[in-house]
Amino acid sequence: MELAALASAAVPGLSPAGVVSAPDDAADFTSAVVIDDAGKQWRVRSPKHAEASMRLETELLVLRSFSPGIRAELSFQVPSIAGTVQRGELRTFVYNHVPGTTLDLEALVAEGGGLPMEIGRAMAGIHDLPQSMVDRADLPSYTADEFRTRRLNELDQAATTGKIPSALLRRWEHALEDVTLWKFNPCVVHGDLHEDNLQISEGLVTSVTGWTDLRIGDPADDFAWLIAVHEQSFADVVLETYNKYRTEAVDPHLMRRAALAAEFALAQWLVRGVAADDPDMIAEAEEMLKELEADIREYGGQPISVELPPAPVVVSPVPATARPAAPGTGGLPAPPAARPGAGQAADGRSGENGSSDDGDATNPHDVGGGASVVLIRDAAGDRGSRPPVVVGGAAGSGPDGSVVVVEGAVAAASTPADVDDSGRDSAGREGAERDGAGRDGAAGGAAEAEAGPGASEPAADGDESGRPTPIAMKAPDPEAAAPRGTPPKGGPEAPTTAIPIIEPRPRT
């Protein structure tokens, strides 16, 4: 009844006769619907902390920017604020309640009929709102590139928690680096659209509430909640109707970005929990992230990229002693003859420039029959700028012969196969003979003989947070230039001589 008393204080003449709960963001607001003695309904929202209070203050500006002309063009009603009351340092808001009730996702789908078309039309109306109303309210506005950069920064922040599965980090980063995916026309976005903010009555969307996060940005954000709908035909009808009513051209990648936004929301929830030092939020987010990783591993997950992930490099985990070192490779075992493939004829001759016909440096490199995989990204994220580095034997494989996926690795000028007998690589640079640990041939052999076989194999155990332990690599020469590996954006400075192992993976 506390909210009923606040409603009476905010709206003169309101005499509460009853109170029913109203769904809302439980971490930010306390909400209820107050029924007065005349049977009229009023929605009350009380913030729980300063950040939530600022969101309500923003909504006040947004609702005031809906002129009568704009409201008349929409297929649904927009609530208005009837009054406010100060409660300590926070302010409680009372809204004129519109007819209708909220339905959960299952009930929404079960409603059927023309409801998905109504939802699609309502979403199109929101995204076609004049951008000037956002500008007048001094609300956030992002271009497509600015929005992608913002997401990348959020990904880096989430990665610093050390609590997100590495497979998800790689999946999200690849999607964010896929520039084709991010060619969209920014528009007015509700920012918090989901089933709890849709008022439904007799198969119609009577009102849309929760205007605290209005901005100009990616329209896909408002579709993220539909990714959880198990009945795909429901979401398809919503999207089809949306495209029918939109004044902009059809966005072919909208649902891919929506799926990414739905997955990434779990990382954002984790970051909020860490910032608030809330162990329950953190535990809940970690559990959901693990479930998401397991689902994607088993079923493949929703497609979130246009481009396919970079193809791995195939190497054999044969011990270094099994084959003699190739000239100019610094003690690395000589790769066996590759099977003829793209860019290589059956007689062993290569295509033009000694590479595959398509010139894609990220395509699989078949260098032996062991069928183990090492994926190495260039430190700058440019997967096609230079040939990948093959990390073989002890330096790149796990103790059980499995191989590891490596990111941020020191990008060499060429693969061992590019180095000729004179010790020069394909670019004509002189190369010191060094083994996989960065030592020269003589020192490396002596150290290995003294330490015994397997001494250079990386430890399989990670730290207490579950993140694998990096492989320490000795710098080739104190006078040599620093490796090309760079620390992640916004993250702490990382040792330049360490290659972080993201995840060991058994051979297939």
Side-chain angles (χ1 to χ4, degrees):
M1 295 298 291
E2 182 181 7
L3 291 180
L6 290 172
S8 297
V11 181
L14 191 156
S15 299
V19 179
V20 295
S21 61
D24 210 328
D25 186 347
D28 294 335
F29 307 106
T30 301
S31 299
V33 173
V34 176
I35 304 173
D36 64 15
D37 53 1
K40 189 175 181 180
Q41 298 181 344
W42 310 80
R43 190 184 187 200
V44 185
R45 300 184 83 189
S46 181
K48 293 184 176 181
H49 48 79
E51 181 184 352
S53 180
M54 290 182 62
R55 291 178 62 192
L56 290 182
E57 296 291 344
T58 299
E59 185 177 39
L60 175 62
L61 296 176
V62 171
L63 295 180
R64 285 176 176 175
S65 67
F66 278 94
S67 64
I70 293 176
R71 290 173 182 262
E73 293 180 0
L74 295 173
S75 62
F76 54 87
Q77 296 184 46
V78 177
S80 58
I81 296 179
T84 65
V85 60
Q86 198 72 24
R87 185 187 182 192
E89 296 182 355
L90 307 178
R91 186 156 60 150
T92 297
F93 289 73
V94 180
Y95 304 77
N96 290 312
H97 193 72
V98 295
T101 58
T102 58
L103 302 175
D104 59 31
L105 274 179
E106 292 184 1
L108 209 60
V109 174
E111 184 80 10
L115 184 57
M117 291 182 285
E118 283 290 314
I119 294 174
R121 183 184 178 189
M123 295 175 70
I126 294 172
H127 293 173
D128 281 335
L129 286 170
Q131 297 188 14
S132 58
M133 65 179 290
V134 177
D135 295 333
R136 286 196 300 269
D138 198 23
L139 298 174
S141 177
Y142 304 99
T143 65
D145 190 58
E146 289 171 344
F147 188 84
R148 185 176 75 96
T149 301
R150 184 169 179 261
R151 277 284 190 266
L152 279 167
N153 292 336
E154 289 180 317
L155 177 63
D156 292 337
Q157 183 183 12
T160 61
T161 65
K163 299 179 182 296
I164 298 180
S166 57
L168 295 181
L169 291 175
R170 289 194 300 272
R171 172 179 167 88
W172 297 338
E173 183 180 28
H174 174 70
L176 289 168
E177 290 177 346
D178 186 354
V179 293
T180 304
L181 190 69
W182 300 95
K183 294 179 180 178
F184 64 86
N185 293 324
C187 65
V188 175
V189 176
H190 181 280
D192 192 29
L193 192 62
H194 48 77
E195 64 275 15
D196 289 343
N197 284 332
L198 297 177
Q199 296 288 324
I200 309 298
S201 178
E202 299 180 355
L204 300 176
V205 178
T206 55
S207 177
V208 177
T209 61
W211 297 87
T212 58
D213 298 299
L214 193 75
R215 58 179 178 268
I216 296 175
D218 186 2
D221 281 1
D222 284 348
F223 281 84
W225 67 284
L226 285 171
I227 300 301
V229 174
H230 295 295
E231 188 65 44
Q232 185 60 40
S233 60
F234 183 91
D236 291 342
V237 173
V238 172
L239 180 61
E240 182 181 354
T241 308
Y242 168 84
N243 288 330
K244 175 183 176 181
Y245 282 96
R246 274 302 310 269
T247 58
E248 292 280 349
V250 173
D251 183 346
H253 307 307
L254 185 143
M255 293 308 290
R256 291 179 186 268
R257 298 195 310 276
L260 172 61
E263 293 181 12
F264 195 66
L266 303 184
Q268 293 171 319
W269 184 251
L270 172 66
V271 171
R272 285 187 62 184
V274 172
D277 196 20
D278 187 330
D280 293 335
M281 284 181 65
I282 295 173
E284 181 185 25
E286 286 188 280
E287 182 63 26
M288 290 189 293
L289 286 165
K290 290 178 181 177
E291 291 177 359
L292 174 62
E293 180 196 26
D295 287 344
I296 292 174
R297 184 171 59 247
E298 183 173 358
Y299 304 109
Q302 294 272 4
I304 62 172
S305 302
V306 179
E307 295 180 359
L308 293 177
V313 179
V314 182
V315 299
S316 173
V318 178
T321 57
R323 296 193 301 268
T329 60
L332 285 176
R339 293 191 299 272
Q344 184 176 16
D347 59 0
R349 292 174 298 177
S350 299
E352 185 178 352
N353 297 328
S355 62
S356 63
D357 291 341
D358 58 12
D360 187 356
T362 63
N363 283 343
H365 287 229
D366 185 3
V367 297
S372 294
V373 177
V374 176
L375 172 62
I376 300 183
R377 292 183 58 242
D378 181 79
D382 189 358
R383 294 183 294 272
S385 62
R386 59 180 65 234
V389 185
V390 176
V391 179
S397 60
D400 58 350
S402 64
V403 292
V404 295
V405 177
V406 182
E407 293 193 5
V410 178
S414 61
T415 65
D418 294 324
V419 184
D420 59 21
D421 292 340
S422 65
R424 294 177 178 271
D425 62 18
S426 58
R429 292 184 288 268
E430 199 74 45
E433 293 190 357
R434 300 183 183 275
D435 61 14
R439 300 168 297 191
D440 60 37
E448 185 172 353
E450 179 180 353
S456 60
E457 292 184 352
D461 295 333
D463 58 20
E464 293 180 358
S465 65
R467 302 182 68 183
T469 306
I471 298 178
M473 296 189 68
K474 182 178 178 182
D477 191 290
E479 303 298 329
R484 293 180 63 251
T486 56
K489 300 181 293 297
E493 191 72 21
T496 58
T497 58
I499 296 182
I501 304 178
I502 300 302
E503 183 181 20
R505 192 164 55 201
R507 291 175 295 169
T508 56

